[in-house]
Amino acid sequence: MPRTRDALDVLCENVRIAQDALPVPLAVENIAALVNWPGEEMTEGQFLAELVERTGVRLLIDVANLHTNHVNRNEDPATALDELPVEAIAYVHVAGGVERDGVWHDTHAHPVTQPVLDVLAELCARVSPPGVLLERDEDFPATGELASELDAIRTVLKEAPTPAALPTPAPFRAPGTVAPRGTAAAVATAGATATAGPAATSGATATSGPTSTATDTTAPARRRLAVAQTALLSALVAGTPAPEGFDRRRLLVQSRALAAKRASVVAKIAPELPDILGEGFRPGFLGYARHRPMRHGYRQDAMDFAVHLLAEGGPADPDARRRLTQWWRDRAGPKPPGGGPAHRLAHAVRRALHRR
């Protein structure tokens, strides 16, 4: 999402819709930005501070994401923390990542690095965090190694100087009400549920969020934002040209990273495919994914990849082709063709296979 007035207006409206629907306070998470949007009008801190002021939403601050923005967008984490309404923080995340091709990838699958711990220390110098969570989604290390990461986080919290003057949380306001301008508004409720925002995935559908049942004054901004997001997402997952103003090399790096993640997840969900295709699985899948966004989850992605490979006459090895055909038949079953090109392709592959 670009840090523009249009995007902020849409986000504020979406937050209000969510607040009206939820029985608990809402918190939103700062994102790990991949690229610089052209024409941005605010910094990360300014954008989130105004969001809090206008909606009273809480913040889930991910210090690893602040480090990501430092590497990928050359933004100073300390400056962002200075601009944030730290009294609105409901929770804190810490996570590991890795740098490849000059881009920091927020993987949640690597150890937490010292620069991320340094950002956590910067935050603790400004406010005592209500809680800190280590995020680890995959490639879990040995128990002792994971315990060491937790100990490192605890050490930062223990050694952090006590903030000279802790900010006073703003009084509770009903969701959807607007705070006076200049007020750092937070929902001061113990045990708040911290709900992170949606993550960008290779199968995402570009959308700027739900629309209100009432008259939506953000409709023009929502349309402009949706068009811009769709163009960017298409470049990332469908191989279309980079939108004007974006770093084409950076988008290509990220596009490859998203395709590689798809390949890794498909290999775990359908381990038979790497076994059948051997060393040809990964390059074959990356070639398939370059211009084909994921449609309906990773399991369907595995099936679509098999259909694509068989329709293209692969794999070259007859035994591998026989095994892939059987794997696909076992999972597909006879289905009537649908109206879309993917369904017609699948139906054509079925007919060709049944003739063999």
Side-chain angles (χ1 to χ4, degrees), residues 44-230:
E44 172 88 342
Q46 292 167 345
F47 188 86
L48 292 176
E50 187 160 341
L51 174 67
V52 168
E53 181 178 326
R54 289 171 58 177
T55 65
V57 74
R58 303 292 296 276
L59 294 178
L60 193 164
I61 294 301
D62 190 322
V63 294
N65 290 356
L66 291 177
H67 173 67
T68 300
N69 295 354
H70 173 64
V71 177
N72 293 351
R73 296 173 53 118
N74 197 31
E75 295 176 349
D76 181 22
T79 299
L81 290 172
D82 285 340
E83 294 173 338
L84 286 174
V86 292
E87 67 275 14
I89 293 177
Y91 212 64
V92 175
H93 280 180
V94 180
V98 64
E99 186 173 350
R100 296 194 189 99
D101 301 320
V103 176
W104 185 266
H105 300 277
D106 182 44
T107 62
H108 295 187
H110 291 80
V112 175
T113 61
Q114 186 58 48
V116 172
L117 294 176
D118 292 342
V119 179
L120 177 61
E122 286 277 0
L123 183 145
C124 291
R126 292 161 173 79
V127 69
S128 295
V132 178
L133 172 75
L134 170 63
E135 292 187 287
R136 187 75 179 230
D137 298 341
E138 57 181 334
D139 294 337
F140 296 103
T143 303
E145 185 178 338
L146 197 60
S148 295
E149 286 195 63
L150 291 169
D151 287 341
I153 294 171
R154 292 190 183 102
T155 298
V156 171
L157 299 176
K158 182 179 179 180
E159 296 180 351
T162 303
L166 289 177
T168 301
F172 175 80
R173 288 190 299 107
T177 59
V178 180
R181 209 155 171 79
T183 300
V187 182
T189 305
T193 300
T195 306
T201 67
S202 55
T205 300
T207 176
S208 53
T211 55
S212 174
T213 53
T215 302
D216 186 1
T217 59
T218 66
R222 192 180 294 276
R223 285 192 294 269
R224 290 191 294 268
L225 180 61
V227 168
Q229 287 177 320
T230 300

Side-chain angles (χ1 to χ4, degrees), residues 253-288:
V253 168
Q254 189 58 35
S255 177
R256 289 170 176 167
L258 290 171
K261 180 178 180 180
R262 281 174 66 185
S264 297
V265 177
V266 166
K268 292 177 181 178
I269 288 178
E272 303 87 355
L273 292 181
D275 180 60
I276 293 170
L277 301 175
E279 294 183 357
F281 166 74
R282 197 166 188 85
F285 188 90
L286 295 179
Y288 148 81

Side-chain angles (χ1 to χ4, degrees), residues 16-30:
R16 292 188 187 102
I17 294 169
Q19 287 172 328
D20 288 344
L22 292 173
V24 293
L26 172 70
V28 295
E29 183 174 359
N30 59 306

Side-chain angles (χ1 to χ4, degrees), residues 235-316:
L236 286 171
V237 303
T240 59
E244 185 177 355
F246 283 94
D247 184 331
R248 288 168 171 77
R249 187 196 69 82
R250 177 64 61 84
L251 290 189
L252 181 60
V253 168
Q254 189 58 35
S255 177
R256 289 170 176 167
L258 290 171
K261 180 178 180 180
R262 281 174 66 185
S264 297
V265 177
V266 166
K268 292 177 181 178
I269 288 178
E272 303 87 355
L273 292 181
D275 180 60
I276 293 170
L277 301 175
E279 294 183 357
F281 166 74
R282 197 166 188 85
F285 188 90
L286 295 179
Y288 148 81
R290 187 173 297 118
H291 300 288
R292 294 171 181 83
M294 185 169 59
R295 298 186 300 127
H296 300 296
Y298 288 105
R299 294 187 187 280
Q300 185 61 47
D301 210 20
M303 295 291 289
D304 290 346
F305 169 55
V307 168
H308 165 76
L309 204 58
L310 293 169
E312 293 291 316

